[in-house]
Amino acid sequence: MTAPSTAARLSASRRDAAPDLSPPVLTRAVSLTAAGPALWRVIDRPGRVIGHLQVMTAGADTRYRARRFHAASGRFRELGEFWAADDAIDCLRFSR
């Protein structure tokens, strides 16, 4: 039995008014912890926070925003919006 992908797990929240707050099942080298409503902290294997995954819903559509904190400005920077959670996580992983 294989675990559902991150995108499949997060896309289940499309049917609900509020995104699912249980951690998605991941098959990659990161883990997610809840950071707020519709916001997940993305953590790599050594335990470093590499960014945030924000789930945005508009009607039946769900988008995933990759965000990273920029210490010099004290703000979050938007890295992009994606149709799949896996793509947003890959953006965080490979843009370091």
Side-chain angles (χ1 to χ4, degrees), residues 5 62-63 70 79 81 85 87:
S5 70
T62 301
R63 302 274 294 172
H70 184 254
L79 301 180
E81 291 184 11
D87 293 339

Side-chain angles (χ1 to χ4, degrees), residues 20-33:
D20 185 9
L21 296 180
S22 61
V25 176
L26 298 176
T27 58
R28 58 179 68 248
V30 299
S31 61
L32 300 179
T33 59

Side-chain angles (χ1 to χ4, degrees), residues 5-57:
S5 70
T6 303
R9 180 77 171 99
L10 288 176
S11 67
S13 67
R14 287 184 189 183
R15 293 184 298 274
D16 304 327
D20 185 9
L21 296 180
S22 61
V25 176
L26 298 176
T27 58
R28 58 179 68 248
V30 299
S31 61
L32 300 179
T33 59
L39 185 67
W40 297 94
R41 187 171 293 120
V42 182
I43 303 168
D44 65 5
R45 278 194 185 167
R48 293 182 301 256
V49 176
I50 60 172
H52 288 89
L53 175 67
Q54 182 180 11
V55 181
M56 304 176 323
T57 57

Side-chain angles (χ1 to χ4, degrees), residues 75-91:
R75 296 181 176 205
F76 281 94
R77 293 201 173 164
E78 311 297 331
L79 301 180
E81 291 184 11
F82 304 88
W83 289 110
D86 288 330
D87 293 339
I89 292 170
D90 283 345
C91 176

